[in-house]
Amino acid sequence: MNIGVYVCECGINIAATVDVGKVVEEAKSLPNVVISRLNKYTCSDPGQESIKKDIIDFNLDRVVVASCSPRMHESTFRSVVEETGVNPYCFEMVNIREHVSWVHSNKEKATLKAIDLVAGAVARAAFLEPLERKEVDVIPKTLVVGGGIAGIQSALEIANNGFQVYLVESSPSLGGRMAQLDKTFPTLDCSACILTPKMVDVARHPKIELLTYSEVEEVGGYIGNFNVKVKKKPRYVDIEKCVGCGLCAEACRLKGKVLNEFDENLSKRSAIYVPFPQAVPLKYTIDPERCNMLKFGKCGSELLCVAACERDAIDFNQEEEIIELDVGTIVVATGFDSFDPSTEKKYGYGESPNVITGMEFERIANAAGPTEGHLEINGKEPKKIVFIQCVGSRDKDGNEYCSRVCCMYTAKQAHMVRDKIPDSEIFVYYTDIRAFGKGFEEFYNRVQNENVIYLRRELNDFIQIVHNGSAVMVKAEGHPDIAADLVVLATGLVPRADSKDFAKTLNISQSADGFFLEAHPKLRPLDTFTDGIFIAGCCQSPKDIPDAVAQASGAAVKATIPLAQGKVVIEAISAVINEDLCSGCRICEKLCAFSALEFDSENKIMKVNDVVCKGCGSCAAACPTGAISMNHFSNKQVIAQIGGILEKRRSLIV
Ligand SMILES: Cc1cc2nc3c(=O)[nH]c(=O)nc-3n(C[C@H](O)[C@H](O)[C@H](O)COP(=O)(O)OP(=O)(O)OC[C@H]3O[C@@H](n4cnc5c(N)ncnc54)[C@H](O)[C@@H]3O)c2cc1C
């Protein structure tokens, strides 16, 4: 056996804290090592070339690189050895950057640790075995979950690339939050005017199958071959027959009695409804929580909606349907919830109509909203308006992150107030203005010049809103009290209430703040840790429409690559079952997060689906009979690694 060792300085990332030369020298004395070298950057072309040359010159059959995290460069070096005829699984990587130089300051001790780790890797390398990767066919279809602007954009991009898309949206219409907005910063485009054409494009696209009022229930399989179960909720309206004329809603006995969630509960609708006039599809839905017929089995002496419908489209017998889809990749674009300010007493939200959220402002300002676009509270035009920023964001005791859109949507809304009520007094309480996007600073300056008074406060400064008859008093530390007719809370963006459950369904991770976690914050911002599942829009983190759209286009490209290639290579590291030792106790089955283990009831033993298996090792660790081993982390290999470390340490002490 001939092992080559390559120790990297990574510029000064490693060399500043580790005596790299000493590590190289120590490696020379390890068993089977025939060459040990130092590189400034092992990942650079010269670094890679030196490995290739040594493989030939020294007839290397194992290679160890001590450098950065395998997450960064393991695939680079595996390719290097593979190109020179060595099996990629005969390569071993030691992380002496994240595990050593970046976390230690004592050079002597850090160097000793690096020497130990390299010794362990060399000992393990001697026991590495060649493995073969598998290739599987890819189903040339994608599932997009969420029909907000991010999901719409992804679906259109993938479909325009010629691949079949299933777009699943849980509400009755496409559009997401953008459909609720009036104008959009910084250009002040009418939100519906730029969104509606895209929704129509989706509905018309021959490559997109739109499943609205539907939810993803189960996701199984793996990249290239996901099996998805989608629950199609009953609308109690036959959408083939419904033409969206609205006669049913006009006739409904509960007309004007059901809170309209699209208008943030500021208006009322019927029990049969479309969320908004430009809804896609423009098909009516019966609200099962409110419809008398669905709740009590009768509605007065006559079903008025049924009588009004000229197309005979209402069908109270409709039932939930489960649709099974097979897709190669998945894009998740499930968006966000708004922070609920009633959880913080100081904002006085929910106690009077004079305190509203940013989203409620959007609806009030909208021509199709509860006041047909007239800015009025309790039928009265407000003259003194106060905006409060960072509500539910940048809070050390709550959501620590910045919601990224509130500074700009407040500026937009202040501008809209000035436009609609020219003689109003407008104040904005802010902490820092984050006007980082294209045209944002210019827009903010423009709003300031429109006689909008910006008042600075520290994040933790006292603020309280006190109700005072038909007005509210805003008490803010360091500022005189303001008696306002209207207070608008710039509420932040939070993960959806169901995001924890949905992350489990998809088998993807969440970051500490609850948004879906990307595989790498800088280099793989659209991937998840589950191959073949990508994220876009506000489900990943708060962002504005341009960023959501850009990310959605990126996720679409990523989701399309495997479809275009037609095949994906599956990692060879997986669990292996020794059938003679397996007792069929099935403990491993429950522990497998990837559903990769199946019970063979005939032979009463477990079987591994090695295409689905991610090689995480949970099953092997739990197996009471030791029947499961990992084919790249066998006991032999791990024990050799520990032995290598101990042996080296002993030799250094002696
Ligand atoms: C008050 C306010 C004002 C704003 N103003 C602006 C502005 O002027 N300019 C700007 O650029 N940005 C603005 N934004 C930000 C903008 O709203 C977002 O950038 C945008 O909506 C993000 O789109 P999205 O598709 O990621 O998420 P969403 O709009 O939230 O869409 C997600 C969609 O997924 C669906 N969904 C969720 N879960 C599931 C599931 N499990 N299955 C199926 N479907 C699901 C939802 O029903 C929804 O339709 C504003 C935000 C707020 C709160």
Side-chain angles (χ1 to χ4, degrees), residues 52 271 313 376 382 452 494 519 528 531 559:
K52 284 185 184 172
E376 51 189 53
V452 172
V494 297
T528 63
D531 294 342

Side-chain angles (χ1 to χ4, degrees), residues 149-150 169-170 177 184-185 334-335 412 496 538 543-545:
I149 185 60
E169 164 59 47
S170 56
R177 298 286 179 180
T184 54
F185 66 74
T334 46
K412 168 187 76 174
R496 281 180 60 93
C538 288
K543 54 181 67 72
D544 57 27
I545 295 163

Side-chain angles (χ1 to χ4, degrees), residues 197-210:
K198 282 192 162 279
M199 303 199 312
V200 172
D201 286 351
V202 167
R204 285 212 187 114
H205 206 295
K207 290 270 180 195
I208 301 180
E209 187 173 333
L210 182 56

Side-chain angles (χ1 to χ4, degrees), residues 145-151 168-171 175-178 181 183-185 214-216 333-336 338 358-359 362 405 409 412-413 493 496 498 502 536-539 543-546 548:
V145 193
I149 185 60
V168 173
E169 164 59 47
S170 56
S171 74
R177 298 286 179 180
M178 189 176 167
L181 306 181
K183 291 188 164 55
T184 54
F185 66 74
S214 301
E215 280 163 17
V216 172
T334 46
F336 65 97
S338 285
M359 195 50 100
E362 295 288 336
V405 292
Y409 83 59
K412 168 187 76 174
Q413 294 177 348
L493 280 52
R496 281 180 60 93
D498 60 2
F502 200 50
C538 288
C539 66
K543 54 181 67 72
D544 57 27
I545 295 163

Side-chain angles (χ1 to χ4, degrees), residues 1 11 16 19 57 61 91 114 118 126 156 158 316 344 423 513 520 579 593 608 630 634 637 640 645:
M1 176 147 316
D19 182 344
D57 292 352
D61 47 13
F91 163 76
V118 170
L156 285 171
I158 297 165
F316 285 107
E344 296 208 27
D423 61 342
D513 55 22
H520 188 284
E579 298 187 355
V608 182
M630 308 308 300
S634 65
Q637 291 162 348
I645 292 171

Side-chain angles (χ1 to χ4, degrees), residues 69-83:
S69 163
R71 280 179 70 185
M72 300 303 304
H73 274 306
E74 188 174 53
S75 66
T76 312
F77 296 121
R78 276 188 178 169
S79 305
V80 168
V81 300
E82 194 171 18
E83 280 164 27

